[in-house]
Coordinates of all heavy atoms in Angstrom, one line a residue:
Chain A
T84 N 217.3 148.3 130.4 CA 217.7 146.9 131.0 C 216.9 146.0 130.2 O 216.2 146.1 129.2 CB 217.5 147.0 132.5 OG1 217.9 145.7 133.0 CG2 216.0 147.2 132.8
S85 N 217.0 144.7 130.7 CA 216.0 143.6 130.2 C 215.3 143.1 131.4 O 215.5 143.5 132.5 CB 216.9 142.6 129.6 OG 216.1 141.7 128.9
G86 N 214.4 142.0 131.2 CA 213.6 141.5 132.2 C 214.2 141.4 133.6 O 213.7 141.9 134.6
P87 N 215.3 140.7 133.7 CA 216.0 140.5 135.0 C 216.1 141.9 135.8 O 216.1 142.0 137.0 CB 217.3 139.8 134.8 CG 217.0 139.0 133.5 CD 216.1 140.0 132.7
G88 N 216.6 142.9 135.0 CA 216.9 144.2 135.6 C 215.5 144.9 136.0 O 215.5 145.5 137.0
I89 N 214.5 144.7 135.2 CA 213.2 145.2 135.6 C 212.7 144.7 136.9 O 212.2 145.4 137.7 CB 212.2 145.0 134.4 CG1 212.6 145.8 133.1 CG2 210.8 145.5 134.9 CD1 212.4 147.1 133.0
S90 N 213.0 143.4 137.1 CA 212.5 142.7 138.3 C 213.1 143.4 139.5 O 212.5 143.6 140.5 CB 212.8 141.2 138.2 OG 212.1 140.6 137.3
L91 N 214.3 143.7 139.3 CA 215.2 144.4 140.4 C 214.6 145.9 140.5 O 214.6 146.4 141.7 CB 216.6 144.4 140.2 CG 217.3 143.1 140.4 CD1 218.7 143.1 139.9 CD2 217.3 142.7 141.9
M92 N 214.2 146.5 139.5 CA 213.9 147.9 139.6 C 212.4 148.2 140.0 O 212.0 149.2 140.3 CB 214.0 148.5 138.2 CG 215.4 148.7 137.7 SD 215.3 149.5 136.0 CE 217.1 149.5 135.6
T93 N 211.7 147.0 140.1 CA 210.2 147.2 140.2 C 209.8 148.0 141.4 O 208.8 148.8 141.4 CB 209.5 145.9 140.2 OG1 209.9 145.3 138.9 CG2 208.0 145.9 140.2
E94 N 210.5 147.8 142.6 CA 210.0 148.5 143.8 C 210.1 150.0 143.6 O 209.1 150.7 143.9 CB 210.9 148.1 145.0 CG 210.4 148.7 146.2 CD 211.3 148.4 147.4 OE1 212.5 147.9 147.2 OE2 211.0 148.7 148.6
N95 N 211.2 150.5 143.1 CA 211.4 151.9 142.8 C 210.6 152.5 141.6 O 210.4 153.6 141.6 CB 212.8 152.2 142.7 CG 213.5 152.5 144.1 OD1 212.8 152.8 145.1 ND2 214.9 152.4 144.1
I96 N 210.2 151.6 140.7 CA 209.3 152.1 139.7 C 208.0 152.4 140.4 O 207.4 153.5 140.1 CB 209.1 151.0 138.6 CG1 210.4 150.8 137.8 CG2 207.9 151.3 137.7 CD1 210.4 149.7 136.9
G97 N 207.6 151.7 141.4 CA 206.3 152.1 142.2 C 206.6 153.4 142.9 O 205.6 154.2 142.9
L98 N 207.7 153.7 143.3 CA 208.1 155.0 144.0 C 207.9 156.0 143.0 O 207.3 157.1 143.3 CB 209.4 154.9 144.6 CG 209.9 156.3 145.2 CD1 209.0 156.6 146.3 CD2 211.4 156.1 145.6
G99 N 208.4 155.8 141.7 CA 208.2 156.8 140.7 C 206.9 157.1 140.3 O 206.5 158.2 140.1
M100 N 205.9 156.1 140.3 CA 204.6 156.2 140.1 C 203.9 157.0 141.2 O 203.1 158.0 140.9 CB 203.9 154.9 140.1 CG 204.3 153.9 138.9 SD 203.9 154.6 137.3 CE 204.6 153.4 136.2
M101 N 204.3 156.9 142.4 CA 203.7 157.5 143.6 C 204.3 159.0 143.7 O 203.5 159.9 143.9 CB 204.1 156.8 144.9 CG 203.3 157.2 146.1 SD 201.5 156.9 145.9 CE 201.1 156.5 147.5
M102 N 205.5 159.2 143.4 CA 206.0 160.6 143.3 C 205.7 161.3 142.1 O 205.8 162.5 142.0 CB 207.7 160.5 143.3 CG 208.4 160.0 144.6 SD 210.1 159.6 144.2 CE 210.7 161.1 143.8
E103 N 205.2 160.5 141.0 CA 204.9 161.1 139.8 C 206.2 161.7 139.2 O 206.2 162.9 138.8 CB 203.7 162.1 139.9 CG 202.5 161.4 140.4 CD 201.3 162.3 140.6 OE1 200.8 162.7 139.4 OE2 200.8 162.6 141.7
A104 N 207.2 161.0 139.1 CA 208.5 161.3 138.5 C 208.6 161.0 137.0 O 208.6 159.8 136.7 CB 209.7 160.8 139.3
P105 N 208.7 161.9 136.2 CA 208.8 161.6 134.7 C 210.2 160.9 134.4 O 211.1 161.4 134.9 CB 208.8 163.0 134.0 CG 208.3 163.9 135.0 CD 208.8 163.4 136.4
C106 N 210.1 159.8 133.8 CA 211.5 159.1 133.3 C 211.0 158.0 132.4 O 209.8 157.7 132.2 CB 212.2 158.6 134.4 SG 211.5 157.4 135.4
V107 N 211.9 157.5 131.6 CA 211.8 156.4 130.7 C 212.6 155.3 131.1 O 213.7 155.2 131.4 CB 212.1 156.8 129.3 CG1 212.0 155.7 128.3 CG2 211.2 158.0 128.8
V108 N 211.9 154.1 131.1 CA 212.4 152.8 131.5 C 212.4 151.8 130.3 O 211.3 151.5 129.9 CB 211.7 152.2 132.7 CG1 212.3 150.7 133.0 CG2 211.8 153.0 133.9
V109 N 213.5 151.6 129.7 CA 213.5 150.7 128.5 C 213.7 149.2 128.9 O 214.6 148.9 129.7 CB 214.6 151.1 127.5 CG1 214.6 150.3 126.2 CG2 214.6 152.5 127.3
N110 N 212.8 148.4 128.4 CA 213.0 146.9 128.6 C 213.2 146.3 127.3 O 212.2 146.2 126.5 CB 211.8 146.3 129.4 CG 212.0 144.8 129.6 OD1 212.9 144.2 129.1 ND2 211.0 144.2 130.3
V111 N 214.5 145.9 126.9 CA 214.7 145.1 125.7 C 214.5 143.7 126.0 O 215.4 143.1 126.7 CB 216.1 145.4 125.2 CG1 216.2 144.7 123.7 CG2 216.3 146.9 125.0
Q112 N 213.3 143.2 125.8 CA 212.9 141.9 126.4 C 213.7 140.8 125.7 O 213.8 140.6 124.6 CB 211.4 141.8 126.2 CG 210.5 142.6 126.8 CD 209.0 142.5 126.4 OE1 208.3 141.7 127.0 NE2 208.7 143.2 125.5
R113 N 214.1 139.7 126.6 CA 214.6 138.6 126.2 C 213.8 137.4 126.7 O 212.7 137.7 127.3 CB 216.1 138.4 126.8 CG 216.2 138.5 128.2 CD 217.6 138.8 128.7 NE 218.0 138.0 129.8 CZ 219.2 138.1 130.3 NH1 220.1 139.0 129.8 NH2 219.7 137.3 131.3
G114 N 214.1 136.2 126.4 CA 213.2 135.1 126.9 C 213.4 135.0 128.5 O 214.5 134.9 128.9
G115 N 212.3 134.7 129.1 CA 212.3 134.5 130.6 C 211.7 133.3 130.9 O 211.3 132.4 130.1
P116 N 211.4 132.8 132.2 CA 211.8 133.7 133.4 C 213.2 133.6 133.8 O 213.9 132.9 133.2 CB 210.8 133.1 134.5 CG 210.5 131.7 133.9 CD 210.6 131.7 132.5
S117 N 213.5 134.3 134.9 CA 214.8 134.5 135.5 C 215.8 134.9 134.4 O 215.4 135.7 133.5 CB 215.2 133.1 136.0 OG 216.4 133.2 136.8
T118 N 217.1 134.3 134.4 CA 218.0 134.8 133.3 C 217.7 134.3 132.0 O 218.1 134.8 130.9 CB 219.5 134.4 133.7 OG1 219.4 133.2 134.4 CG2 220.1 135.3 134.6
G119 N 216.9 133.2 131.9 CA 216.2 132.8 130.6 C 217.2 132.7 129.4 O 218.2 132.0 129.4
L120 N 216.8 133.5 128.3 CA 217.6 133.4 127.1 C 218.2 134.8 126.9 O 217.6 135.8 126.3 CB 216.6 133.3 125.9 CG 215.8 131.9 125.8 CD1 214.8 132.0 124.7 CD2 216.7 130.7 125.6
P121 N 219.5 135.0 127.4 CA 220.1 136.3 127.3 C 220.2 136.9 125.9 O 220.0 138.1 125.8 CB 221.5 136.0 127.9 CG 221.4 134.8 128.7 CD 220.3 134.0 128.1
T122 N 220.5 136.0 124.9 CA 220.8 136.7 123.6 C 219.6 136.4 122.6 O 219.7 136.7 121.4 CB 222.0 136.0 122.9 OG1 221.8 134.6 122.8 CG2 223.3 136.2 123.7
S123 N 218.5 136.0 123.1 CA 217.4 135.8 122.2 C 216.2 136.6 122.8 O 216.2 137.1 123.8 CB 217.1 134.3 122.0 OG 216.2 134.1 121.0
W124 N 215.1 136.6 122.0 CA 214.0 137.5 122.3 C 212.7 136.8 122.9 O 212.5 135.7 122.8 CB 213.7 138.3 121.1 CG 213.4 137.3 119.9 CD1 212.2 136.7 119.6 CD2 214.4 137.0 118.9 NE1 212.4 136.0 118.4 CE2 213.6 136.1 117.9 CE3 215.7 137.3 118.7 CZ2 214.3 135.5 116.8 CZ3 216.3 136.6 117.5 CH2 215.6 135.8 116.6
G125 N 211.9 137.7 123.4 CA 210.6 137.3 123.9 C 209.8 138.5 124.1 O 210.2 139.7 124.0
Q126 N 208.4 138.2 124.5 CA 207.6 139.4 124.8 C 206.8 139.0 126.0 O 205.6 139.3 126.2 CB 206.6 139.6 123.6 CG 207.2 140.1 122.4 CD 206.2 140.3 121.3 OE1 205.4 139.4 121.0 NE2 206.3 141.4 120.6
S127 N 207.6 138.4 127.0 CA 206.8 137.8 128.3 C 206.8 138.7 129.4 O 206.4 138.4 130.5 CB 207.4 136.4 128.5 OG 208.8 136.5 128.6
D128 N 207.3 140.0 129.2 CA 207.3 141.0 130.3 C 206.2 142.0 130.1 O 206.1 143.0 130.8 CB 208.6 141.7 130.4 CG 209.8 140.8 130.5 OD1 209.6 139.5 130.7 OD2 210.9 141.2 130.1
M129 N 205.1 141.7 129.3 CA 204.2 142.7 129.1 C 203.2 143.0 130.2 O 203.0 144.1 130.6 CB 203.3 142.2 127.9 CG 204.0 142.2 126.6 SD 205.1 143.6 126.1 CE 203.8 144.8 125.9
M130 N 202.9 141.9 130.9 CA 202.0 142.1 132.2 C 202.9 142.7 133.4 O 202.4 143.4 134.1 CB 201.4 140.8 132.7 CG 200.3 140.4 131.8 SD 198.9 141.4 132.2 CE 197.6 140.8 131.0
Q131 N 204.2 142.3 133.4 CA 205.1 142.9 134.4 C 205.1 144.4 134.2 O 205.0 145.2 135.3 CB 206.5 142.3 134.3 CG 207.4 142.9 135.3 CD 208.8 142.5 135.1 OE1 209.3 142.5 133.9 NE2 209.6 142.1 136.2
A132 N 205.1 144.9 133.0 CA 205.1 146.4 132.8 C 203.9 147.0 133.3 O 203.9 148.2 133.8 CB 205.3 146.6 131.2
R133 N 202.7 146.3 133.3 CA 201.4 146.9 133.6 C 201.3 146.7 135.2 O 200.9 147.7 135.9 CB 200.3 146.1 133.0 CG 199.0 146.7 133.4 CD 198.8 148.1 133.2 NE 197.6 148.7 133.8 CZ 197.6 149.3 134.9 NH1 198.7 149.4 135.7 NH2 196.5 149.8 135.4
W134 N 201.6 145.6 135.7 CA 201.3 145.2 137.1 C 202.5 144.9 138.0 O 202.3 144.5 139.1 CB 200.3 144.0 137.1 CG 199.0 144.3 136.4 CD1 198.7 143.6 135.2 CD2 197.9 145.1 136.7 NE1 197.5 144.0 134.8 CE2 197.0 144.9 135.7 CE3 197.7 146.0 137.9 CZ2 195.8 145.7 135.7 CZ3 196.5 146.7 137.8 CH2 195.5 146.5 136.7
G135 N 203.7 145.2 137.5 CA 204.9 144.8 138.2 C 205.0 145.3 139.7 O 205.2 144.5 140.6

Side-chain angles (χ1 to χ4, degrees):
Chain A
T84 184
S85 191
I89 297 285
S90 293
L91 285 168
M92 290 181 184
T93 298
E94 183 185 12
N95 270 340
I96 288 169
L98 176 64
M100 296 294 179
M101 196 61 149
M102 291 165 65
E103 302 182 64
C106 58
V107 173
V108 176
V109 186
N110 180 354
V111 188
Q112 297 174 84
R113 57 199 226 182
S117 190
T118 31
L120 300 172
T122 60
S123 195
W124 51 84
Q126 294 179 314
S127 50
D128 307 345
M129 298 308 297
M130 281 291 179
Q131 183 190 40
R133 177 64 191 90
W134 302 109

